[in-house]
Amino acid sequence: MTESLADIAQALVTSGKGILAADESTGTIKKRFDSISVESTEDSRRDYRELLFRAKGGNNFISGVILYDETLRQNAADGTPLSKVLQDQGIIPGIKVDLGAKPLAGHDAETITEGLDGLRDRLKEYAKLGAKFTKWRGVYKITDETPSFAAVSANADALARYAALAQEAGLVPIVEPEILMDGDHDINVCQAISEEVLRSVFAELANQEVELEGILLKPNMVIAGQDCPEQNSVEEVAERTVATLLRCVPAAVPGIVFLSGGQSDEQATNHLNAMNKISSNLPWKLSFSYGRALQAAPLKAWAGKKENADAMQQAFLKRAEDNSRASTGTLD
């Protein structure tokens, strides 16, 4: 592993900073735009993301941004590549490289993430376009029968093979095994499945000889399903999540950047804050890699209108600052 991979990974988890996930697919961002009655076009998507990226002072709270393929290739309104807009502010551009979760053959209701075919060449191109890190998401759903051993092992293998290819290309891989909040399972079930998934992922990373100093982990928090009648306290979620990570995540990993999943903006922030308050001597940094939890408020404030640009950026900066403070356990 080159020293620069470890340097980039450490820079992404600089104290008080986290990652903006702006890698929504065209279909997903259309749904977001539909919610504010804005047509999703190449230009409107560019305009929206450019406003986020140019928010003055955003680099005080944001270390990196995960981009979608379209966005990495786009130029700002003044002709500057959006990746350079970020780099000029000291923010590291990254890229989502998986092609989405598809049905897992022979296993109804379970998925395998695709995109390994041709990935080596795509990674080389992304590096030339300015990306410094990557992301790949594996998805697991909890039911009485799932996740199966086949789904756990297949997604772990794909995550590890992706990570090895990313490091080969000189890019830091963010490894994202996400256990969905869908369902009525309690926190005990989520914790048991989270441990099973994480152990499988790190076993496969070892098999593929991935250098852990040059990766980041992006997991779910240990939390009850959204339909579970018993929802646990912020402190309980924080304690269970930290305990699970201590059991399963090697100390060599520089940082853990949580996804927000189905949580509300405030829930995701408060849980992260609680984890950092109760844990002062962890082997890795605990921070955020949020999409919806950073963007819901600014998207609403923007509403597709140029005159709302300042209000939109201020809403984004407020969410970014709150999560920055949560990543150091200093949010009141």
Side-chain angles (χ1 to χ4, degrees):
M1 183 189 69
T2 61
E3 185 179 1
S4 62
L5 283 176
D7 291 343
I8 294 167
Q10 290 287 353
L12 287 167
V13 288
T14 297
S15 182
K17 294 188 180 184
I19 296 169
L20 167 64
D23 59 337
E24 302 91 351
S25 67
T26 304
T28 298
I29 201 166
K30 181 183 183 302
K31 293 177 184 176
R32 305 273 171 87
F33 278 21
D34 286 347
S35 72
I36 57 169
S37 301
V38 172
E39 184 182 2
S40 178
T41 66
E42 187 173 346
D43 285 344
S44 65
R45 294 190 292 270
R46 188 275 313 278
D47 292 344
Y48 167 67
R49 284 165 168 153
E50 183 179 350
L51 283 172
L52 288 176
F53 301 167
R54 288 193 186 275
K56 190 173 182 180
N59 59 333
N60 292 323
F61 316 118
I62 302 296
S63 59
V65 177
I66 309 171
L67 305 173
Y68 188 57
D69 180 276
E70 174 188 75
T71 318
L72 183 60
R73 302 176 190 278
Q74 283 180 318
N75 293 332
D78 65 3
T80 306
L82 288 178
S83 61
K84 190 173 189 300
V85 169
L86 293 171
Q87 288 176 311
D88 287 348
Q89 300 178 76
I91 297 175
I92 304 169
I95 179 72
K96 170 188 173 181
V97 300
D98 70 69
L99 299 182
K102 310 296 182 184
L104 179 63
H107 295 269
D108 292 343
E110 296 194 277
T111 61
I112 177 67
T113 301
E114 296 185 350
L116 289 171
D117 289 350
L119 180 58
R120 177 178 276 118
D121 291 337
R122 287 195 292 126
L123 289 167
K124 290 177 182 177
E125 182 184 13
Y126 289 145
K128 289 179 180 177
L129 289 170
K132 301 295 182 185
F133 68 100
T134 59
K135 192 205 79 169
W136 179 290
R137 174 177 177 249
V139 187
Y140 311 80
K141 185 173 182 179
I142 295 178
T143 68
D144 290 343
E145 293 82 30
T146 64
S148 65
F149 175 78
V152 171
S153 59
N155 278 289
D157 178 69
L159 282 162
R161 291 170 63 197
Y162 138 76
L165 284 165
Q167 289 191 337
E168 177 187 82
L171 301 170
V172 169
I174 293 181
V175 175
E176 180 180 358
E178 179 182 5
I179 296 168
L180 300 175
M181 284 181 64
D182 299 348
D184 59 1
H185 54 276
D186 65 19
I187 197 170
N188 296 312
V189 173
C190 181
Q191 184 166 17
I193 298 299
S194 294
E195 290 183 12
E196 178 186 358
V197 166
L198 288 172
R199 288 192 176 109
S200 180
V201 167
F202 280 100
E204 289 299 331
L205 289 169
N207 288 341
Q208 296 296 331
E209 299 183 5
V210 171
E211 296 286 349
L212 298 185
E213 294 83 356
I215 76 166
L216 296 178
L217 177 68
K218 181 174 178 175
N220 56 279
M221 297 179 192
V222 174
I223 191 168
Q226 56 191 7
D227 295 327
C228 180
E230 182 182 355
Q231 294 294 318
N232 305 88
S233 68
V234 168
E235 291 72 23
E236 178 77 0
V237 170
E239 289 168 4
R240 294 289 195 107
T241 302
V242 169
T244 295
L245 297 171
L246 284 169
R247 292 170 185 166
C248 303
V249 181
V253 175
I256 297 168
V257 289
F258 290 99
L259 55 90
S260 53
Q263 300 179 66
S264 71
D265 301 7
E266 292 77 13
Q267 275 184 311
T269 303
N270 291 336
H271 287 143
L272 177 62
N273 187 58
M275 282 182 234
N276 280 296
K277 275 191 172 182
I278 65 174
S279 313
S280 57
N281 295 308
L282 296 174
W284 5 253
K285 297 279 184 64
L286 296 183
S287 193
F288 59 92
S289 177
Y290 293 161
R292 187 168 44 232
L294 285 173
Q295 294 186 59
L299 185 69
K300 185 177 180 180
W302 176 56
K305 299 176 181 178
K306 290 182 178 180
E307 61 267 29
N308 292 339
D310 184 64
M312 180 266 213
Q313 291 179 327
Q314 292 306 310
F316 170 65
L317 291 171
K318 176 65 167 63
R319 293 299 304 138
E321 182 179 9
D322 284 353
N323 282 291
S324 166
R325 293 170 62 195
S327 71
T328 58
T330 57
L331 184 68
D332 294 333

